[in-house]
């Protein structure tokens, strides 16, 4: 099997595909969706005997279908929103957030296929919409699963803070690993103010600068200062991300790294994404169970 769209703009965060399609996926798309779907079933099963209102939030919802390219062949598979609507036991409410108008129309058609289900569609930026949603409930009688599946570095740290504060939302976050190390270039001279700001928005601190960069070991030909360079490798950068997430959420799994290449699991290819699960419930019994389930799922992928 050969993945075609490796490190394409779509993978790295440039939303360049046709407005009503998703020409972005590869085998990693199947893996993340499989993990999500398994968790949604386990979550609803585990909470089905309790009185919580169960909510599914898809913050980068797409259309409900994904076009993926494997072995040069395009296949169409069910996307996250469609899968969430199909699982049993079912959620009580669904909230799909999508920026693009034509994708939202596809979601409206998907909603119409499920007249018995309560589906809210929100058009707009996921960060703003999520912060509003987090403030809408008391989160005493509600429990939610949130899927963060951006094309690139679109999830702001302040949004994660609002999510963690609810104490009631479980999160699957497809972290843009390639986006991170491409943006945090080896040579600090390649960083500009925009790149620095987007890294700080993503990580919620500017401490990445000190953690990732150091003075170049060699001075330039004339003995002058030749600036800073990144001294940490990809893995160490991801460790920094994991530590940041652990400061915010009571429980965070080790990330499942998805690579460029044949099966998305072999370390020979460039790392593309890191799939995290994070639970915001501060009760050890609740986040313990959630992370055990998520870890089991991640281990079997
Ligand atoms: C990787 S796709 C999501 C795929 C979807 N989870 C699925 O499985 O079918 C990312 C989606 O986020 C949308 N998007 C991009 N920027 C966004 C933003 N700031 N807020 C909300 N949606 C956004 C894109 O239009 C695209 O549909």
């Amino acid at each position: 099997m050969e993945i075609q769209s490796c490190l394409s703009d779509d993978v790295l965060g440039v939303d360049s595909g046709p407005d009503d399609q998703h020409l972005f996926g590869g085998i990693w798309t199947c893996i993340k969706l499989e993990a999500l779907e398994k968790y949604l079933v386990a979550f609803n099963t585990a909470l089905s005997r309790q009185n919580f209102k169960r909510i599914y939030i898809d913050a980068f919802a797409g259309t409900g279908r994904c076009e993926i390219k494997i072995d040069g062949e395009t296949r169409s598979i069910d996307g996250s929103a469609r899968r969430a609507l199909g699982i049993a036991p079912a959620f009580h409410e669904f909230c799909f957030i999508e920026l693009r108008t034509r994708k939202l129309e596809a979601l409206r058609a998907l909603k119409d296929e499920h007249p018995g289900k309560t589906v809210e569609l929100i058009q707009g930026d996921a960060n703003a919409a999520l912060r509003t949603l987090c403030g809408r409930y008391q989160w005493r009688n509600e429990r939610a699963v949130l899927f963060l599946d951006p094309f690139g570095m679109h999830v702001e740290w302040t949004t994660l803070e609002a999510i963690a504060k609810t104490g009631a939302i479980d999160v699957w976050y497809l972290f843009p690993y390639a986006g991170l190390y491409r943006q945090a270039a080896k040579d600090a001279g390649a960083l500009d103010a925009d790149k620095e700001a987007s890294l700080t928005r993503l990580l919620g601190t500017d401490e990445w600068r000190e953690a990732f960069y150091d003075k170049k070991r060699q001075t330039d030909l004339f003995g002058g200062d030749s600036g800073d360079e990144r001294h940490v490798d990809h893995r160490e950068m991801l460790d920094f991300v994991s530590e940041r997430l652990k400061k915010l959420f009571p429980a965070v799994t080790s990330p499942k790294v998805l690579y460029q290449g044949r099966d998305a699991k072999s370390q020979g290819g460039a790392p593309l994404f890191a799939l995290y699960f994070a639970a915001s419930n501060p009760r050890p019994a609740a986040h313990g169970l959630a992370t055990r389930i998520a870890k089991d799922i991640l281990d079997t992928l």
Side-chain angles (χ1 to χ4, degrees), residues 15 22 60 62 66 79-80 98-100 103 124-126 149 151:
D15 186 357
H22 278 160
F60 297 83
C66 299
S80 50
E98 173 55 53
L99 192 62
R100 299 295 191 94
K103 288 177 178 171
D125 171 54
D149 185 20
F151 277 131

Side-chain angles (χ1 to χ4, degrees), residues 153 178-185 190-191 194-196 198-199 213:
M153 298 177 29
L180 172 69
Y181 65 74
R182 291 271 298 241
Q183 201 80 333
L191 286 169
D194 282 352
K195 286 183 176 170
E196 292 190 345
S198 76
L199 285 163
Y213 291 91

Side-chain angles (χ1 to χ4, degrees), residues 17 28 34 80 116 152 176 182 185 202 247 275:
W28 61 85
E34 194 184 317
S80 50
R182 291 271 298 241
L202 179 80
K247 286 204 175 104
L275 183 60

Side-chain angles (χ1 to χ4, degrees), residues 1-6 8 10-11 21-34 63-80 83 149 151 262-264 273:
M1 289 201 300
E2 180 197 325
I3 312 291
Q4 287 216 340
S5 57
C6 297
S8 65
D10 283 346
V11 169
Q21 287 182 52
H22 278 160
L23 292 175
F24 60 81
I27 198 76
W28 61 85
T29 310
C30 304
I31 294 174
K32 73 181 180 190
L33 290 172
E34 194 184 317
T63 61
R65 297 289 294 171
C66 299
E67 305 298 318
I68 61 171
K69 225 168 205 184
I70 295 172
D71 272 347
E73 261 178 50
T74 304
R75 294 188 211 157
S76 178
I77 60 169
D78 285 347
S80 50
R83 286 174 195 238
D149 185 20
F151 277 131
R262 205 168 179 76
D263 59 1
F273 300 103

